[in-house]
Amino acid sequence: MLKGSTKILTLGMKLADIPGQEGVKALLRQGLESGQIPHAQLFAGPPGSGKLPLALAYAQWLMCHQPGELDSCGECASCRKVDKLIHPDLHWVFPVVTRPGESEKPGSEQWMREFRQAFTQNPHLE
Ligand SMILES: [Zn+2]
């Protein structure tokens, strides 16, 4: 690793990697097959239900350059960018706090390095 560079860990997150939630996966696949995908979707559920990893795996499938019938390829440039949480069309919004000494209102993008690190260590973030 080069000095000063930031190592980006990867998750390898495909729908098939998410345990359970087969009913939700079936609904997501129906939407993709029908070509009618809502512009926004809320993934909600109890802690440990896998809602965040499932949402990311679904986003990866939607943006995959070589999607399969049931999942993303996991290997194309788009999948690799989603896997590293660096895809330019994948936007994250989460609550943040102002760092000590900062006077401007912070945004989620200012915490992406910490978010990526936390997410790669525990994709459930719980
Ligand atoms: Zn792909």
Side-chain angles (χ1 to χ4, degrees):
M1 186 161 69
L2 297 173
K3 184 177 181 183
S5 67
T6 301
K7 182 178 180 184
I8 298 176
L9 300 174
T10 60
L11 300 168
M13 190 101 24
K14 295 174 63 175
L15 284 173
D17 299 325
I18 311 299
Q21 304 296 349
E22 298 307 321
V24 176
K25 291 177 190 175
L27 285 172
L28 296 172
R29 288 180 178 124
Q30 284 175 2
L32 196 62
E33 287 170 4
S34 71
Q36 296 182 346
I37 302 170
H39 75 279
Q41 296 183 60
L42 176 64
F43 289 72
S49 61
K51 55 193 171 286
L52 185 54
L54 182 62
L56 182 62
Y58 180 58
Q60 180 171 303
W61 191 27
L62 291 176
M63 296 189 284
C64 178
H65 293 164
Q66 304 162 357
E69 188 176 319
L70 300 176
D71 213 337
S72 63
C73 76
E75 298 174 4
C76 71
S78 180
C79 285
R80 288 195 306 269
K81 288 178 183 174
V82 170
D83 191 40
K84 294 176 183 175
L85 307 180
I86 59 171
H87 196 291
D89 294 330
L90 183 63
H91 301 275
W92 297 90
V93 178
F94 45 84
V96 297
V97 297
T98 303
R99 295 177 198 266
E102 285 182 343
S103 58
E104 292 186 29
K105 222 174 180 179
S108 300
E109 67 281 353
Q110 293 156 306
W111 288 90
M112 278 308 298
R113 191 180 75 185
E114 290 86 351
F115 179 81
R116 283 188 193 101
Q117 186 175 24
F119 190 82
T120 52
Q121 290 172 357
N122 177 7
H124 296 275
L125 290 179
E126 295 166 6

